[in-house]
């Protein structure tokens, strides 16, 4: 399929102050779009000026939440080139999400080609200051113009780009988190493993409550037994207990993070034992009480790793590693960001230069 390009004839001024970029507030001059319907499949692939979408007020996405998305970044290397980190994994996951929500799948190779064409056109928007990146948001939604509850016949796939500031402007500071015992994020059999907007809508209340109590994130428990740890906020979570890194296994209600996968591969390459298994709150509580919980951190594309300095269990605060980032967390952060920004050799073949 050809990609039609309609250039933006009134490009915006690019931000000059990297420290004021923030996250997801500024968008580049162009976006990629294509349409789907049952008869024609995916068609009319195009790069057009960034702007509002026109959709029917009856569109499926607005009423029944038929939406999935991805989040990845393009990084400016020291040699000026732009590179992506494991983009294949994102489009593969998007297809798994599409499968769960009965949305049409993409040709991952074509989606990557479209993404590269878009980045190429807007390449001057990729920032170069320390810690900055171009955040990429592909999303796909059901667009049938009628209210009947039915699987989707019409859909739209869009990619927008947003130059974003450093997640850690004041250094990698550990956060306080609390265990959420009321709301659950996902259940087995539900949509937890899919990256869909609905999961986020359902998690806002707990996040808001935690924030009001002075916590950065909630630690989600499984929705069936409320016994096992699953994720932290919208990140995967890892705990170093007596020298072994333990991370919740992918039971169906945990999002299979690209950062999680990368952390596991790095840890294994360093000879650090990793266990993907069920981890009960009880085991975690025992580990904090008897001092065997050595490190705890969330991991995801936005933050890379986010050390947990304090864990609140039933309103009792437990400090992890003296409230400081631990050595394994620090090493993962250094290695991952080194590979992502092209400062360290990519021995895993995780990066792809945008040409
Ligand atoms: C996106 C996401 C993650 C992290 O995935 P990455 O691919 O590492 O960015 C973890 N949990 C949830 C719920 C997510 O939506």
């Amino acid at each position: 399929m050809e990609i039609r390009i309609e250039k933006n004839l009134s490009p915006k001024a690019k931000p000059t102050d990297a420290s004021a970029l923030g996250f997801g507030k500024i968008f580049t001059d162009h976006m990629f779009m294509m349409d789907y319907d049952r008869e024609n499949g995916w068609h009319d692939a195009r790069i057009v000026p960034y702007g509002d979408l026109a959709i029917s007020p009856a569109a499926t996405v607005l009423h029944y939440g038929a939406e999935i998305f991805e989040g990845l970044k393009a990084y400016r290397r020291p040699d000026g080139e732009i590179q992506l980190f494991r983009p294949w994994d994102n489009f593969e996951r998007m297809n798994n999400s599409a499968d769960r929500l009965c949305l049409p799948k993409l040709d991952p190779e074509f989606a990557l080609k479209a993404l590269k064409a878009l980045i190429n056109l807007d390449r001057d928007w990729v920032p170069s200051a320390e810690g900055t990146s171009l955040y990429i948001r592909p999303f796909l939604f059901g667009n049938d113009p009628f209210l009947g509850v039915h699987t989707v016949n019409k859909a739209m796939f869009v990619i927008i780009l947003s130059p974003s500031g450093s997640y850690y402007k004041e250094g990698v500071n550990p956060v306080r988190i609390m265990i959420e015992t009321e709301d659950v994020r996902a259940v087995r059999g539900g949509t937890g493993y899919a990256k869909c907007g609905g999961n986020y809508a359902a998690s806002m209340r707990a996040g808001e409550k935690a924030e009001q109590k002075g916590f950065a994130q909630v630690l989600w428990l499984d929705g069936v037994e409320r016994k096992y740890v699953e994720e932290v906020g919208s990140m995967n979570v890892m705990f170093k207990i007596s020298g072994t890194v333990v991370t919740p296994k992918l039971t169906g209600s945990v999002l299979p993070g690209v950062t999680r996968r990368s952390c596991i591969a790095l840890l294994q390459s360093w000879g650090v034992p990793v266990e993907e298994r069920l981890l009960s709150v009880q085991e975690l509580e025992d580990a904090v009480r008897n001092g065997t919980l050595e490190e705890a951190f969330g991991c995801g594309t936005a933050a890379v790793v986010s050390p947990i300095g304090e864990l609140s269990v039933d309103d009792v605060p437990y400090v992890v590693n003296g409230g400081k980032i631990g050595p394994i967390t620090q090493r993962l952060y250094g290695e991952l960001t080194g590979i992502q920004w092209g400062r360290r050799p990519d021995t895993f073949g995780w990066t792809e230069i945008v040409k």
Side-chain angles (χ1 to χ4, degrees), residues 69-72 90 93 185 192 194-196 199-200 231-236 254-261 299-302:
F69 66 95
E70 273 303 325
L72 66 161
N90 291 91
R93 182 170 67 193
R185 192 192 78 90
K195 212 167 173 75
C196 65
N199 290 343
Y200 275 68
E231 299 203 50
V232 58
S234 50
M235 285 183 280
N236 293 112
V254 172
L255 198 287
V258 177
T259 318
R260 174 187 182 277
R261 190 178 301 170
C299 58
T301 295

Side-chain angles (χ1 to χ4, degrees), residues 195-263:
K195 212 167 173 75
C196 65
N199 290 343
Y200 275 68
S203 72
M204 302 274 177
R205 185 171 76 171
E208 176 92 4
K209 220 170 50 183
E211 218 171 279
Q212 280 165 7
K213 288 188 181 172
F215 295 96
Q217 301 279 2
V218 299
L219 188 65
W220 295 107
L221 303 184
D222 79 278
V224 180
E225 294 174 77
R226 314 241 178 154
K227 192 173 153 192
Y228 301 104
V229 170
E230 298 214 316
E231 299 203 50
V232 58
S234 50
M235 285 183 280
N236 293 112
V237 68
M238 301 198 173
F239 301 91
K240 184 157 162 273
I241 304 171
S242 304
T244 295
V245 174
V246 181
T247 191
K249 69 172 180 178
L250 303 175
T251 49
S253 45
V254 172
L255 198 287
V258 177
T259 318
R260 174 187 182 277
R261 190 178 301 170
S262 307
C263 286

Side-chain angles (χ1 to χ4, degrees), residues 29-45:
D29 287 322
H30 299 90
M31 59 185 181
F32 174 82
M33 293 169 81
M34 74 180 164
D35 300 311
Y36 172 91
D37 61 50
R38 280 275 148 114
E39 303 76 66
N40 304 301
W42 286 111
H43 61 276
D44 199 12

Side-chain angles (χ1 to χ4, degrees), residues 2 15 22 38 43 57 112 172 180 222 247 302 313 326-327 333 339:
E2 281 300 302
R38 280 275 148 114
H43 61 276
L112 183 54
V172 186
E180 173 60 44
D222 79 278
T247 191
V313 186
Y333 182 75
I339 296 170

Side-chain angles (χ1 to χ4, degrees), residues 18 41 49 79 85 109 131 148 150 218 246 252 256 278 286 333 339:
D79 61 8
F85 183 75
E109 257 173 59
H150 193 272
V218 299
V246 181
L278 295 178
D286 292 346
Y333 182 75
I339 296 170

